[in-house]
Amino acid sequence: MEEPREVGVGVVVETGEGVGEGKVKVKRGRRGSEPPAYRSYPQRWAILLAVTLLNISNASLWINLAPVSYKAADYFKVPVAGINWFSLVYLFVSIPFCFISTFSVNALGLRPSIQIGSALNCLGAVIRGISTSGLIPSCRAQYAVCITGQVLAGMAQSFLLFIPTKVSQLWFPENSRTLSTTVLSLSNPLGVVVAQVLSPILIKYSTLPILNYVYCGMAVFTQLITLVSVTRSKPRTAPSQSAQRGERDRAPYLQQLKETFTCVPYLLLLLSLGCGIGLFSSISTVTQQLLCPLGYSDVFSGIINGVMILCGFVGSAVTGIMADRTKAFTPITKISYGIATIFNIIMMEMFMVPEQPAVLAIFMGLFGFFGIGAYPIGLELAVEATYPVEESISTAFIFMSVSLMAIMSLLTVVVCVTILFFNTKYKRQEAENVTTSLTSSNSSSSHSLTATSGYASENATGTESSSIRQSIQRPRMSVVEEWLVQDEDPEMVQSHL
């Protein structure tokens, strides 16, 4: 393999073809008079395949029990709400790991982050497979081990779901970045389709342990593909000017966060895309629980989710081609999301109407075409709005906004309930006040008794002194006078005196 060499002044020749090598662009001219050469490498397709398979595997682990929630609840002997936690744990785990994963991409590079996500995904799937292998006798213990594996898979999501725009920026030239982002960002919904269709079939013809083995095998296979394919974080030569300049002009991590959250257009995208992702996640999680009470089957619930996502693939292809040719990212996003909102309202109304499978499937498909179809364009628009901020940061917080909005909504409800209904007596203060009152009362009584006894003693002493004084001043009575006084006859005493 011959390395790039300088032949003359400003003449760069790149030759060779092999693993990691690709198309050759030769720029001739005087140094500084021509733009630098940019290259696109065949390895980009291997990395695209590896990250796509990883997201498919991770998304299928996320949602694979939702289409069979009732049967899974019977197997683990837990309520259906306990099975919903297999989906919800992804949302809650993503909040702290959003910061960890974006910092890792920023500090370590793309390859270590992909490898960490792949390893966590594989380990989580293996633990889930072990939980139902028969080695653990208790159903509750099986559930606990299985949810532990799900937590690890949820950690992996933060390293895999947030990097589509990063892979496109580092490895793909300008004229194919939108295509790459579309494929990578739709790999997560494709994993949802796989789980929605495959899980009911597996449960119908086999058991829950077999289901876990199948998804475990997918995770192990993608781990092997990743180890072989992802050998570099970025190519030796940048594929575009923005890729080269973005890596060079990038600010420290905290400064990038500040720039991201002070960008008003990005904040508007954060809210709109976050609400859309939250809606998609909710529908994917509880479709079976909404439709089965109306008489629809598990298989039908999975099929209409598949219809929604497959129509989204068609929509993304259409919007991607339009965006590549016109570069009108903003109008395409606005129009698509406006139409998707209208169809979503109708679709949610149809979720309450029984025996209308065709109408429900049509509106699910239309919502997917416009809503999911515009989603990759929205991610590219977020990168455009925040450039040269790390691409994974702008993508990560859009996904994390789902979890944040859910927690903020729950917090709002809790705070409102607390403000309206919380009231309590200050029992500790009342007890202290009673003790203080008793102490004061006892002290006052002691003082009163002391004062009273002192006053009585004083009176007794005064009376005695007065008697003595009177006896001293009064002349001595005769025997007859003493006798009259003892008889207490006033008239006789007066007449005698």
Side-chain angles (χ1 to χ4, degrees), residues 416-478:
C416 290
V417 170
T418 302
I419 292 172
L420 293 174
F421 299 105
F422 179 78
N423 193 17
T424 184
K425 293 181 178 181
Y426 303 151
K427 296 180 180 180
R428 183 180 60 179
Q429 292 188 15
E430 289 178 357
E432 290 175 348
N433 291 338
V434 168
T435 304
T436 303
S437 299
L438 289 174
T439 305
S440 301
S441 176
N442 291 336
S443 177
S444 300
S445 300
S446 300
H447 285 300
S448 299
L449 289 172
T450 304
T452 303
S453 63
Y455 178 74
S457 174
E458 222 174 86
N459 284 345
T461 306
T463 304
E464 185 177 355
S465 301
S466 177
S467 301
I468 293 171
R469 284 196 301 269
Q470 288 178 6
S471 63
I472 293 172
Q473 293 175 359
R474 192 176 59 188
R476 186 176 180 83
M477 291 186 297
S478 63

Side-chain angles (χ1 to χ4, degrees), residues 144-321:
V145 174
C146 198
I147 202 76
T148 301
Q150 192 75 354
V151 170
L152 293 174
M155 295 177 185
Q157 185 193 48
S158 299
F159 291 92
L160 303 174
L161 190 60
F162 305 155
I163 59 173
T165 52
K166 180 71 174 178
V167 173
S168 300
Q169 179 70 11
L170 289 180
W171 284 93
F172 284 81
E174 183 180 358
N175 60 359
S176 59
R177 277 202 304 255
T178 304
L179 172 64
S180 169
T181 302
T182 299
V183 173
L184 290 172
S185 58
L186 290 179
S187 59
N188 183 268
L190 181 58
V192 174
V193 171
V194 171
Q196 294 282 359
V197 175
L198 184 60
S199 291
I201 295 174
L202 289 173
I203 289 296
K204 184 176 181 180
Y205 296 104
S206 61
T207 59
L208 188 69
I210 299 299
L211 181 145
N212 277 341
Y213 293 153
V214 170
Y215 290 104
C216 177
M218 292 172 57
V220 173
F221 174 74
T222 55
Q223 171 70 18
L224 297 175
I225 295 294
T226 303
L227 291 174
V228 174
S229 302
V230 185
T231 58
R232 302 177 63 91
S233 291
K234 59 183 178 181
R236 281 178 287 185
T237 304
S240 65
Q241 181 184 6
S242 61
Q244 186 180 52
R245 183 179 176 184
E247 291 293 308
R248 185 182 65 242
D249 298 344
R250 198 149 284 158
Y253 181 72
L254 294 179
Q255 180 64 28
Q256 292 184 62
L257 291 180
K258 179 182 177 182
E259 292 175 5
T260 300
F261 287 101
T262 53
C263 178
V264 175
Y266 174 76
L267 294 179
L268 294 175
L269 281 171
L270 181 76
L271 293 174
S272 59
L273 286 176
C275 289
I277 294 170
L279 177 63
F280 170 76
S281 301
S282 301
I283 292 173
S284 301
T285 302
V286 299
T287 299
Q288 186 213 27
Q289 297 170 44
L290 291 174
L291 295 181
C292 286
L294 298 178
Y296 297 104
S297 66
D298 293 348
V299 176
F300 176 77
S301 301
I303 288 174
I304 62 167
N305 270 298
V307 169
M308 176 181 68
I309 297 171
L310 291 175
C311 289
F313 291 161
V314 177
S316 65
V318 174
T319 56
I321 293 171

Side-chain angles (χ1 to χ4, degrees), residues 73-121:
D74 290 340
Y75 180 88
F76 287 116
K77 309 300 181 188
V78 297
V80 175
I83 302 303
N84 289 342
W85 274 105
F86 281 88
S87 303
L88 294 175
V89 73
Y90 266 55
L91 300 178
F92 290 106
V93 168
S94 68
I95 295 177
F97 274 84
C98 174
F99 294 95
I100 296 172
S101 64
T102 53
F103 180 80
S104 299
V105 173
N106 188 74
L108 303 177
L110 186 63
R111 177 178 173 270
S113 300
I114 294 176
Q115 298 289 5
I116 291 171
S118 177
L120 287 171
N121 183 70

